[in-house]
Amino acid sequence: MSSLRTVSQANELADAIRQRIQAEQLAEGALFMTEGQLAEEYGASRTVVREAVSRLQALGLLEGRKRKGLIVRHPDPLRLLSNSLPSLVGSQEDWRELAMLRYALEVGAIDLAIRAATDEQLARLSQITDDMEAALRDDTESERTVALDLEFHALILQMTGSRMIAGMQQLLVQFFQIAPHAENTPASAERIIWEHRELCSAIRDRDVERARSMIRLQFRSTLGAVESLSPESGGADRN
């Protein structure tokens, strides 16, 4: 019971410290307090303070400095997501949730990408499409094909001009390289080539609705492969 109380108190103190940092709008690198000062001000034991500080350090909100105390940091959400993603997949439902997240992000980002895309980016997207077609015709399952598909989608995300969107999407796209997917056949390779060419054309023509339609088509195979994973089908449910 004592251990449970400590955990509860640490959670409450961590929340209080986080809210204080936000309310005071403390800048990156600002000196906060020492653990001793926190214990005195909040009437908490050193054990509770250490636990609370540890939680905030894990989130990137605080950093300990010898002889100085605690320093305020502004966490990088992309780093936190990158560190968390590998542990988020333990079942079919986990895969499905991540698939839906990637789908929603990419469909939502296409409008921004079309509005902000530069001529140089459009030319590069067209070149990647050409390279992907050549790679697919040579070997439907080659590492080169996978890498080009990753580059294709990553470039679209970069077109948005948002570091956060591009970073989050690239993490998800990279993560989905290990997601279950249907094996390519000559027929599916032709479909993939057509989908990428049509999407590239829609972006070049600044046609948001057509681009959204092509994104939806491209994700059918990903969502279908994830949905096919079930205990009955011998899928990858690892719970």
Side-chain angles (χ1 to χ4, degrees):
M1 291 297 294
S2 176
S3 176
L4 290 175
R5 282 196 298 271
T6 298
V7 171
S8 177
Q9 291 170 352
N11 288 336
E12 290 177 4
L13 179 57
D15 284 341
I17 294 172
R18 177 179 53 77
Q19 291 171 14
R20 179 170 181 167
I21 291 172
Q22 292 174 339
E24 296 182 7
Q25 298 182 337
L26 297 177
E28 169 86 10
L31 182 63
F32 187 52
M33 293 183 181
T34 65
E35 290 188 1
Q37 289 170 332
L38 281 172
E40 182 177 352
E41 179 156 340
Y42 287 93
S45 69
R46 287 298 186 96
T47 299
V48 168
V49 169
R50 281 194 295 270
E51 287 289 336
V53 168
S54 177
R55 284 161 171 70
L56 296 175
Q57 286 177 324
L59 292 174
L61 282 167
L62 288 177
E63 177 186 338
R65 289 285 184 86
K66 288 184 178 180
R67 300 187 181 89
K68 285 189 176 182
L70 298 169
I71 304 296
V72 174
R73 292 299 181 203
H74 292 171
D76 181 353
L78 297 178
R79 180 182 63 81
L80 293 174
L81 181 60
S82 178
N83 292 338
S84 301
L85 273 178
S87 62
L88 290 180
V89 179
S91 68
Q92 175 196 5
E93 185 60 25
D94 293 334
W95 276 116
R96 182 178 183 279
E97 287 296 319
L98 286 175
M100 293 300 290
L101 175 59
R102 181 184 169 192
Y103 171 79
L105 287 170
E106 295 222 14
V107 171
I110 198 67
D111 189 5
L112 293 173
I114 286 176
R115 292 174 185 271
T118 66
D119 290 341
E120 181 180 358
Q121 288 173 326
L122 292 172
R124 179 56 190 155
L125 193 67
S126 181
Q127 182 60 58
I128 295 171
T129 305
D130 291 340
D131 293 343
M132 186 182 299
E133 179 174 358
L136 276 166
R137 295 196 187 285
D138 181 57
D139 183 354
T140 59
E141 297 293 336
S142 70
E143 292 184 3
R144 174 68 172 159
T145 299
V146 173
L148 285 167
D149 183 59
L150 170 59
E151 186 178 356
F152 181 93
H153 286 275
L155 179 55
I156 292 175
L157 309 174
Q158 291 168 16
M159 288 176 178
T160 65
S162 166
R163 183 187 72 87
M164 185 70 69
I165 292 175
M168 285 187 65
Q169 296 248 31
Q170 287 183 52
L171 284 171
L172 288 170
V173 169
Q174 291 171 350
F175 188 67
F176 266 83
Q177 298 310 304
I178 63 171
H181 63 280
E183 290 186 8
N184 290 330
T185 63
S188 65
E190 290 295 333
R191 174 182 54 77
I192 291 169
I193 292 169
W194 174 80
E195 288 175 353
H196 283 77
R197 285 210 172 278
E198 284 296 308
L199 179 54
C200 180
S201 175
I203 294 172
R204 187 174 58 247
D205 294 341
R206 313 288 180 173
D207 189 333
V208 174
E209 290 308 315
R210 183 154 61 100
R212 283 176 180 163
S213 296
M214 295 313 303
I215 284 285
R216 293 187 185 105
L217 276 177
Q218 285 194 352
F219 270 88
R220 281 183 180 177
S221 58
T222 298
L223 293 173
V226 171
E227 291 291 352
S228 70
L229 287 178
S230 65
E232 291 80 9
S233 63
D237 192 330
R238 295 187 291 274
N239 272 358

